[in-house]
Amino acid sequence: MDKKIKSAQHKKLVAVENIKALERFKQNFKPENVGEIPEAMEGLEQHRQDFFAAVAKLEEYDDTSDAIQVCITDRIDMEERCRRLKSFLRENQRKEANSLNDSLLANSTLAFGRPNTSNIRFPKIELPTFDGDSTKWLSFRDRFVAMIDASAELPPIAKLQYLLSSLKGDAAVPFEHVTLTTENYSVTWAALLKRHDNSRMLIREYWRRLHFLPAIATESVDGLTSLVDEFVRYVNGLQKLHEPVDSWDTPLSNMLLMKLDNETILAWERHSVHKKKDKYSELIEFLQDRTQILKSSQSISCDRIVVPIKVAGAYRPTAPRRSVTNAASVQRNTPVSSTIQQVSCPLQCADHHLVRNCPVFLAKNTQERREIARSKGLCWNCLSCSHQVRSCKSEYSCRSCKERHHTLLHQPPQQPTVALSAQSDDDMVFLETAIVFIVDDYGEKHEARALLDSGSMSNFISDTLARKLMTPRTRVNVSVSGIGTSRQQIKGSTTAIVRSRNLQFTTPLEFLILDTPSADIPTSPINVSSWNIPDVTLADPTYHIPGKVDVVIGGDTFWELHTGRKQSLGSGLPWLVETQFGWAVAGNTTYSSQQHRVCNMATSDSPLEAILTRFWESETIFDEPALSLEEDMCERYFISTTTRDPSGRRIESNR
C-alpha cells in the first residue's frame, strides 16, 4: 500500500511542477511566444487530468478525514490555477487569430463589426496552389513562404492546414493521409521541398519545355500570344534558378525564331536587317508589339464595311447565283459593256483576297474551316463560291490524302483501332511483352512495357512516354499502314537507349512517335494459376494481365533480342522464350481444338456519320437551276429589256 501511495504522490508532484512551469510561461510571456500557445493549452489539459487522477488515487488509498480534507483543498486550489491559466492562453490565442485574419483576410471578405476596422469590403486573397507542374513550383514556393511559412504569428498546425489545402492533383497524393498535428508541418514541408525543390531537375524541365514548345504553322494572334507568354515564362524560370540568361541572346533568339510562322519571321528580318546580332529582349518586345498590332487590325477589319471595286469585265453580283461552270468557261467574245464587282472574302475581310489566302480562315482549325466552307457554299476542292465540287475542273486535290477536297480542309483520320483475333473456348495467343528501361540523353531511366513484334518494320513509342524523355525530336513525314488499307501519318521520331532491368543489355533504337502504338495486351485477364511455370526471370511478370504498351520493338531488332532457347510449359500451353530482357511467354494455349472457332478482324477508321456527311457535302443539289455565266447574263439581259403584257407574255420594252 505504501508503494501505491508513493506512486500516486509522485504523479501528483510531477503534475504540480508542470503546472508551475506553465505559470512561469504566463509570467514571462512575450508576443513572439504566441506560437507556443496551442502546445501550452494541450499540456495544461493533460497535466490537469494527471493531477486529479493522482488525487483520486490518494483518496482511495488513504480515506482518513485529514487526508480527505487535504485532497479537497488541493483540488480547489488546482482548479483555480488551471482556470486562470486557460483564460490567459485563450485570450492571447484570440488575439493571434484576429491578427491573422486582419493580415491575410483568408477567412472572410468583410470587416464589418470589428472594433478597429472601418466598414470596407476587402477582396478575398486566394492562397497559391500547386498541382505538381515543375514549372510552377518556384512561384508557389515563394508565395507560400511569404504568406504562410514566414509568418511568426501562425501556429504550425495552421500552416500545415494551409499547406495541405494548397496542394492539388498529383502533388497532393503523397500527403493525402497526413494528420493535422504540430510536428507534421515541418516534416511535410521538408518532404515537399525534397520532392520538388531540385534546381538541377528544374533547369532540365525548363529546357525541355522550351525545346518542345509547339511551333506556329500559320500567322495566328492566339498562337503567337500563347507561344511568347510560355517562352517568357520558362526563360524567367531559368533566370530565377540563377542561369546566365542575359548572355544567351543567340541560342534563345534562334530557338524562338524556329517556332515562328513565316510571315512573322519575315517581319522580324525586315525590322532587324541592320542589326549586328539578334537580341532576345528585342525579339520579345517585337513579338509583343506584333500581337497587339494583329489584335487591333483584326478587330478593325471585322467592323469595316467592304467597299465594292469595279473593274472591266462581266458583271458578277455580290451574292452570285450558284452555277455549274467556273470563270474559265467564259468565252473571249463575251460582251464587256457591263461592269463586275470584285469578289470579296466570304469572311468579310477588309482586303480583297481569295478565301484560301485569308488570314482569318487560315488561323482557324480544320473543323472550323469545314464549317465555313459548308455555310458559305464553297467548293470543297478549290474553295470557289461559283460552283460545287462535283463540277470543279481544278486538276489539284488534297496534298495529304489525294482526295477530292482542299488541303486546308483535310482532317487527319482518327487513330485507327484494329483488332485481329482468333478465338475459341480453349484457345488464346500470347504476344511477347517485356518490362524495359528507356534511357534518355540525360541518363534518366523510364520504365516501359514493350511489345516484341517480328512483323513490324519499324520501332514505335507512345507520345506520352516520348514527352517524358529529355531527348530532342526529329521531324519526319512517314505514312504507316496497318491491317488492310488503314494508314496514318507520323510527324516525329526520337532516339533512345533500351536497357534491360538487370542492366546487362543495352541497345540504341530509333522510334517513330504514335499516340497509341498498340491496344492493351492481353485483351482480357487470363487465369494462369494452374500453370507450372519454372523458377526463371520473366521478361514481363504481368504478361497475363491487360496493360498498355509503351514501346513496340520491330523486326529489325527482334531476332537480336532472342538467344534461341525456349521451354515448353506443357501440352496446350504457350512457350517460354528467352530474350535479353528475360523469359517471355509466347504462343497458343492449345495446339489443336475440335471446337468451333471464330476468326475476325475489326477496324475503326472513320465513323459512319462522317462518311455520310462527306457524301452529302459533295453531292449537294440546289433548288435553283444550274446556269453557266453566259446563260446567267443572257437571262438577266432578257429580263431587263422586256416587260409582260396583260396576258403574261414578255414583249420588248420601249427604250
Side-chain angles (χ1 to χ4, degrees):
M1 182 63 69
D2 291 340
K3 288 184 178 180
K4 292 182 179 181
I5 293 176
K6 288 183 179 180
S7 176
Q9 288 176 342
H10 176 71
K11 291 180 180 180
K12 175 184 174 183
L13 181 60
V14 170
V16 170
E17 291 299 324
N18 285 323
I19 297 296
K20 289 181 179 179
L22 290 176
E23 289 175 337
R24 288 193 296 272
F25 171 78
K26 172 186 173 182
Q27 293 174 356
N28 301 325
F29 180 79
K30 296 180 180 179
E32 55 265 25
N33 302 131
V34 70
E36 303 176 23
I37 290 180
E39 291 86 349
M41 293 190 69
E42 292 180 6
L44 174 62
E45 186 61 28
Q46 183 63 45
H47 303 327
R48 178 180 176 278
Q49 293 178 2
D50 293 344
F51 176 83
F52 285 106
V55 170
K57 289 292 185 182
L58 290 174
E59 290 176 342
E60 180 182 348
Y61 299 148
D62 188 359
D63 57 355
T64 62
S65 59
D66 293 339
I68 295 296
Q69 186 61 40
V70 171
C71 290
I72 292 175
T73 303
D74 290 344
R75 281 176 180 273
I76 296 173
D77 179 62
M78 183 55 66
E79 190 69 42
E80 184 178 356
R81 293 166 66 182
C82 290
R83 185 170 60 252
R84 287 195 297 267
L85 274 172
K86 184 177 289 187
S87 176
F88 170 80
L89 295 175
R90 282 180 175 176
E91 180 65 26
N92 284 274
Q93 190 175 38
R94 280 198 296 270
K95 290 180 180 178
E96 172 199 13
N98 290 336
S99 174
L100 175 63
N101 290 339
D102 289 339
S103 60
L104 294 181
L105 299 176
N107 298 325
S108 175
T109 59
L110 297 177
F112 296 116
R114 297 182 186 177
N116 297 321
T117 57
S118 58
N119 293 336
I120 301 176
R121 183 183 296 272
F122 293 99
K124 183 177 180 179
I125 299 178
E126 298 289 345
L127 288 176
T129 59
F130 179 62
D131 59 2
D133 186 349
S134 300
T135 61
K136 298 178 181 178
W137 162 254
L138 294 176
S139 60
F140 167 78
R141 181 198 64 187
D142 294 346
R143 293 176 185 175
F144 186 84
V145 168
M147 295 176 64
I148 305 298
D149 185 71
S151 175
E153 293 80 10
L154 268 177
I157 193 169
K159 294 180 180 180
L160 178 59
Q161 175 61 34
Y162 283 124
L163 177 60
L164 296 178
S165 63
S166 299
L167 300 179
K168 308 294 181 184
D170 295 338
V173 173
F175 310 102
E176 205 170 62
H177 302 291
V178 172
T179 307
L180 284 175
T181 60
T182 301
E183 301 80 16
N184 278 344
Y185 171 68
S186 58
V187 175
T188 304
W189 181 242
L192 194 65
L193 290 174
K194 183 178 180 181
R195 180 179 288 264
H196 298 286
D197 202 38
N198 187 327
S199 299
R200 184 170 65 98
M201 297 305 298
L202 288 174
I203 292 172
R204 288 185 183 179
E205 182 64 18
Y206 276 114
W207 267 115
R208 190 182 74 85
R209 294 289 185 92
L210 278 174
H211 184 82
F212 288 117
L213 272 174
I216 304 175
T218 58
E219 188 178 65
S220 168
V221 177
D222 296 336
L224 184 60
T225 303
S226 176
L227 174 63
V228 174
D229 289 346
E230 288 297 288
F231 200 94
V232 171
R233 186 167 75 89
Y234 297 148
V235 172
N236 289 343
L238 289 170
Q239 189 173 22
K240 198 166 189 176
L241 291 166
H242 307 294
E243 289 292 285
V245 174
D246 294 338
S247 60
W248 290 352
D249 284 325
T250 300
L252 290 178
S253 299
N254 279 274
M255 184 181 296
L256 182 54
L257 285 170
M258 287 189 294
K259 300 181 183 299
L260 298 175
D261 59 279
N262 294 333
E263 291 81 359
T264 304
I265 294 176
L266 181 60
W268 166 252
E269 291 300 320
R270 290 172 178 169
H271 174 79
S272 60
V273 65
H274 298 297
K275 298 183 182 296
K276 294 183 178 180
K277 60 179 295 187
D278 293 327
K279 289 279 190 179
Y280 168 72
S281 58
E282 294 178 358
L283 177 58
I284 291 297
E285 184 179 359
F286 167 80
L287 294 176
Q288 291 172 343
D289 292 343
R290 183 171 176 81
T291 55
Q292 293 182 1
I293 294 172
L294 291 175
K295 286 181 181 178
S296 177
S297 61
Q298 189 179 59
S299 175
I300 296 174
S301 64
C302 292
D303 295 336
R304 288 179 58 184
I305 301 176
V306 178
V307 179
I309 302 175
K310 295 184 178 181
V311 297
Y315 174 76
R316 184 178 298 172
T318 304
R321 181 190 298 258
R322 298 184 180 94
S323 54
V324 176
T325 57
N326 58 16
S329 65
V330 180
Q331 297 181 357
R332 293 187 179 181
N333 57 359
T334 302
V336 295
S337 58
S338 304
T339 58
I340 182 173
Q341 178 181 340
Q342 183 174 343
V343 179
S344 61
C345 175
L347 301 182
Q348 298 182 349
C349 294
D351 299 330
H352 293 277
H353 50 237
L354 298 174
V355 67
R356 59 176 174 266
N357 297 328
C358 175
V360 178
F361 185 75
L362 295 175
K364 297 184 179 297
N365 58 42
T366 304
Q367 187 59 36
E368 291 173 337
R369 295 173 190 161
R370 295 166 76 96
E371 291 294 335
I372 292 174
R374 185 182 300 107
S375 62
K376 301 296 183 180
L378 306 180
C379 172
W380 210 249
N381 187 50
C382 68
L383 299 179
S384 171
C385 60
S386 62
H387 60 268
Q388 293 298 298
V389 66
R390 60 181 177 178
S391 302
C392 184
K393 298 185 181 298
S394 174
E395 298 178 356
Y396 298 99
S397 58
C398 178
R399 293 194 297 267
S400 299
C401 64
K402 307 304 179 184
E403 295 290 337
R404 198 66 171 160
H405 60 249
H406 200 279
T407 305
L408 293 175
L409 303 181
H410 174 72
Q411 195 166 31
Q414 296 179 352
Q415 178 74 22
T417 303
V418 179
L420 178 65
S421 64
Q423 75 179 73
S424 67
D425 293 339
D426 60 348
D427 193 10
M428 177 65 70
V429 178
F430 283 88
L431 303 179
E432 295 183 38
T433 57
I435 304 298
V436 300
F437 288 134
I438 305 297
V439 186
D440 59 23
D441 289 354
Y442 287 86
E444 293 293 329
K445 295 187 296 184
H446 305 268
E447 188 175 273
R449 192 166 187 247
L451 169 64
L452 309 184
D453 185 5
S454 61
S456 176
M457 298 176 63
S458 303
N459 307 314
F460 300 94
I461 188 172
S462 68
D463 183 66
T464 303
L465 179 57
R467 289 179 179 275
K468 296 180 181 179
L469 302 179
M470 301 288 290
T471 304
R473 295 190 181 193
T474 303
R475 291 187 179 182
V476 298
N477 188 12
V478 179
S479 179
V480 178
S481 299
I483 299 175
T485 59
S486 177
R487 64 167 57 90
Q488 57 182 311
Q489 292 295 124
I490 295 179
K491 301 297 184 181
S493 69
T494 187
T495 302
I497 296 175
V498 179
R499 181 172 295 172
S500 61
R501 287 184 295 169
N502 59 13
L503 308 182
Q504 295 180 358
F505 173 78
T506 299
T507 180
L509 293 177
E510 182 179 6
F511 296 96
L512 298 177
I513 301 173
L514 278 175
D515 289 339
T516 307
S518 171
D520 289 356
I521 296 177
T523 56
S524 60
I526 302 167
N527 185 7
V528 297
S529 58
S530 60
W531 295 7
N532 186 19
I533 300 179
D535 186 15
V536 295
T537 302
L538 293 176
D540 181 8
T542 61
Y543 67 93
H544 59 287
I545 301 174
K548 69 176 182 178
V549 173
D550 304 300
V551 172
V552 175
I553 300 178
D556 198 25
T557 314
F558 180 86
W559 300 111
E560 298 178 9
L561 300 176
H562 290 73
T563 64
R565 298 174 58 192
K566 63 179 182 179
Q567 300 182 42
S568 175
L569 294 178
S571 178
L573 297 178
W575 291 82
L576 283 178
V577 182
E578 189 180 35
T579 70
Q580 298 289 354
F581 308 119
W583 291 83
V585 180
N588 293 2
T589 57
T590 183
Y591 303 108
S592 64
S593 175
Q594 301 301 322
Q595 299 183 15
H596 177 67
R597 298 190 177 195
V598 178
C599 298
N600 56 72
M601 183 188 77
T603 177
S604 173
D605 201 350
S606 58
L608 180 61
E609 294 81 358
I611 298 175
L612 289 175
T613 301
R614 291 182 58 190
F615 171 75
W616 290 116
E617 288 170 345
S618 62
E619 296 296 332
T620 304
I621 300 176
F622 300 100
D623 297 334
E624 300 177 4
L627 302 177
S628 67
L629 291 178
E630 298 165 310
E631 293 170 337
D632 183 59
M633 294 179 63
C634 181
E635 182 180 358
R636 290 180 178 275
Y637 177 80
F638 179 73
I639 293 174
S640 63
T641 58
T642 60
T643 58
R644 294 185 183 273
D645 61 10
S647 64
R649 299 179 62 184
R650 285 194 172 274
I651 60 175
E652 186 175 0
S653 60
N654 295 326
R655 290 180 176 270

